[in-house]
Structures are given as structure tokens and as C-alpha cells.
Amino acid sequence: METITLTLRKQKNIALIAHDGKKADLIRWCKDNKDILNKHFLIGTGTTARMITDATELPVKGYNSGPLGGDQQIGARIVEGKVDIVIFFSDPLTAAPHDPDVKALMRIAQVYDVPFAPDRATADFIITSPLMDEEYEHDVINFKQSVEDRAKDLKTDDADRQ
């Protein structure tokens, strides 16, 4: 498959999300990393974004709450190339009613080669990486070209059947 090169700027777009049982942990992590996070553009799902801003004074642009479509909104921002890193403190021991949305967000992050931290240790490794302070180029599938090629192949298949 054909790929295209995307460049992440020095100022990263970071999504901050947490399940209810992990919100306190994410807020504590944000406090501990406030100086680093303050250099970047932050977004998050509804309640989490508001709680982080209230506790840390970091500006976090809020989207809908996860169960109300916030995870899907963050996923759409990934597809648009407007999310560079996802920090999602998930609770693996508690069932979430919107679990399919969470899995879809994880999948879209993988598809678009977006670093995804489901816990503090992974988030620590990402946020302290030397790559946080520089541009970073990575290759992703050229989905536009892939769709065009698929449409062309399907058209050819249809013509061959007739």
C-alpha cells in the first residue's frame, strides 16, 4: 500500500481521556507533567477536560463526554490529522457501556500511527521522549489513494462480469 509522510510539529496536539475510575490518576499525572503539557495543545472528552482544567489550570478544549460521542469525536480528529498523541487512562477492571467506542478509538489511533498511552507508565515514556520537543515525521497509509484504487478495481471487476 502507498503511504504518505505526515509531520508532527514541535507543539503536539494531545488528547487526554480517562475512565471514571482513572480520572484522579490522569489529573495527578497532568499535575506532575504540567510544565511539559503547557507547551502543547490539549483536548479531551467532556468531564475529564473540565476536571483537568479545574485542577491544573491547563487549557483543555473539551468535547462531548465519552459515552455521548466524545471518543468518536477524538477519533475523527485523529483522522483529520489534528491529534498527535492520545493519553487514555482506561480502567481494565470495570466494564464501560461505551466500550465499542473506546476500541474504535484505539483502532483508529493504530491505523493512523498515533502514540496511544493506556496507563501512566506508557504516558511517562511518551511525554519524556526527546521527540516531544521536535518535529517528527512518520508514514501512514494514503487512504485517499487506497480508496481510489479500490474503486477502480471494483469498476474493473464489474466490467469483467458483464
Side-chain angles (χ1 to χ4, degrees), residues 7-102:
T7 302
L8 306 184
R9 295 182 311 214
K10 287 184 179 187
Q11 184 184 33
K12 309 294 188 281
N13 297 298
I14 303 172
L16 301 168
I17 309 166
H19 283 143
D20 288 347
K22 297 291 184 172
K23 288 188 190 324
D25 293 341
L26 181 59
I27 290 167
R28 191 171 322 109
W29 182 83
C30 288
K31 284 180 180 178
D32 292 345
N33 293 285
K34 184 177 178 178
D35 291 341
I36 296 170
L37 292 171
N38 211 27
K39 298 176 192 173
H40 303 282
F41 181 71
L42 309 174
I43 65 170
T45 51
T47 309
T48 305
R50 187 177 63 251
M51 290 175 74
I52 292 169
T53 297
D54 289 349
T56 66
E57 297 182 0
L58 287 166
V60 183
K61 178 182 167 123
Y63 287 87
N64 287 348
S65 175
L68 299 177
D71 298 328
Q72 292 177 341
Q73 288 177 303
I74 300 293
R77 302 295 287 175
I78 291 172
V79 171
E80 294 168 353
K82 296 184 178 170
V83 171
D84 303 319
I85 297 168
V86 177
I87 308 295
F88 189 154
F89 282 17
S90 61
D91 186 350
L93 302 177
T94 304
H98 64 293
D99 193 50
D101 297 336
V102 174

